[in-house]
Amino acid sequence: MNETFNLYRLQQLDTQRLQRLKRIKRIDQIIASDIAVQKAQKRIDLAQEQHTEKEGVLEDYINQVSEKTLKLKQTQAKLFSGKISATKELQDLQAESEALTRTIRTLEDKQLDAIHQVEITQAELDDARLAMKNLLNEQATENSVLLGEREKLRLQLPKINSQREALRTQIDDSLLDEYSAIFKNKGGIAVAEVLEGSCKACGFDLSPTDLQQAANPGVIVKCKGCGRILYKS
């Protein structure tokens, strides 16, 4: 059984898989960390905050006008009901009615100004959102190459994963565990090729015995320099 070849092939597939996953992650980071997008989002957030604040001010004025208008109606209803004959009480109601009328006019003026402010902040929010939309559209064009690369890599993963799983079923479990441990501890390289009498991973010069054993497909030989499994084609 060619154990070393299977492990070497598994190493190749694992390397291909990791390379694609890392590149996909990097592409996502490039797209997500765009400074222009971050600035555009900050503009939207600020515009939304200011707009919400102005809407709150407008709502407060609307409520105040509504409250004072209701109170004015109640005061005028008493004033013109004919049920009150005392001059002093009538004068007080008349004064209250006039004061409420002035207050309502003042509040309505402030309400109109608040409406104007809401319109201004709404326009700024709309502009900020439109700017973001245009920016994303521009980026979609600029990043089309990256996105195309990402999609190509993503589509390659299922085939690689399928090949990996099929190959793993052909390798002894204990050997897989050993491979996985070395893979984890050696930066994703568990199997190293023998190149011109040396370990390709670390450059350690191999002894004639190790070279002879590495050429035997049924023997697992590890590099005495780095501890990786050796593969000699």
Side-chain angles (χ1 to χ4, degrees):
M1 181 181 296
N2 199 336
E3 295 283 13
T4 53
F5 175 76
N6 286 341
L7 289 173
Y8 175 69
R9 180 55 184 151
L10 179 60
Q11 173 70 73
Q12 289 182 314
L13 292 171
D14 280 336
T15 299
Q16 292 172 18
R17 177 175 176 273
L18 283 178
Q19 287 175 341
R20 282 154 180 76
L21 289 174
K22 287 180 180 179
R23 182 56 182 165
I24 288 172
K25 183 178 180 180
R26 180 55 184 154
I27 290 173
D28 288 341
Q29 289 174 339
I30 291 172
I31 294 174
S33 64
D34 191 282
I35 295 177
V37 172
Q38 293 177 3
K39 288 183 178 179
Q41 186 59 54
K42 286 182 180 179
R43 181 187 172 191
I44 290 176
D45 294 341
L46 178 59
Q48 182 64 69
E49 180 180 346
Q50 292 175 338
H51 182 60
T52 300
E53 178 184 345
K54 295 303 181 183
E55 283 185 322
V57 172
L58 174 58
E59 184 178 358
D60 183 55
Y61 283 134
I62 291 174
N63 291 335
Q64 289 188 58
V65 169
S66 178
E67 178 185 343
K68 297 299 182 183
T69 300
L70 177 60
K71 190 170 183 180
L72 176 61
K73 289 181 180 179
Q74 294 173 340
T75 299
Q76 289 181 338
K78 290 181 182 179
L79 181 63
F80 300 112
S81 65
K83 297 179 181 180
I84 300 175
S85 57
T87 302
K88 180 64 170 62
E89 190 173 355
L90 288 172
Q91 289 175 341
D92 289 343
L93 288 172
Q94 181 63 37
E96 182 180 359
S97 177
E98 292 173 355
L100 285 169
T101 299
R102 289 193 298 272
T103 299
I104 290 172
R105 287 174 181 169
T106 300
L107 288 172
E108 286 177 338
D109 289 340
K110 291 182 178 180
Q111 180 178 318
L112 287 174
D113 182 64
I115 290 173
H116 180 59
Q117 293 299 317
V118 167
E119 291 173 347
I120 291 176
T121 54
Q122 180 66 64
E124 168 58 20
L125 180 57
D126 291 342
D127 286 345
R129 287 172 172 167
L130 180 60
M132 174 66 91
K133 181 180 179 181
N134 291 337
L135 177 60
L136 292 177
N137 287 337
E138 291 173 6
Q139 283 192 330
T141 300
E142 294 173 359
N143 293 332
S144 60
V145 174
L146 283 176
L147 292 172
E149 179 188 353
R150 183 188 185 282
E151 182 63 12
K152 182 178 179 180
L153 293 172
R154 189 187 67 80
L155 292 174
Q156 291 172 354
L157 284 173
K159 182 179 180 180
I160 293 174
N161 290 333
S162 177
Q163 291 176 338
R164 284 179 68 248
E165 292 306 313
L167 186 57
R168 289 173 71 90
T169 62
Q170 302 175 36
I171 302 174
D172 183 77
D173 289 342
S174 61
L175 193 54
L176 269 179
D177 291 340
E178 187 175 4
Y179 166 87
S180 297
I182 299 173
F183 187 89
K184 180 179 180 181
N185 294 327
K186 296 297 181 179
I189 302 177
V191 181
E193 286 186 87
V194 174
L195 183 63
E196 297 181 354
S198 301
C199 171
K200 185 177 179 180
C202 71
F204 185 83
D205 289 330
L206 304 174
S207 68
T209 301
D210 287 340
L211 288 171
Q212 184 178 6
Q213 290 181 333
N216 188 336
V219 178
I220 302 300
V221 183
K222 294 182 181 177
C223 173
K224 292 181 174 61
C226 63
R228 292 181 173 89
I229 298 170
L230 295 172
Y231 170 73
K232 189 175 187 302
S233 58

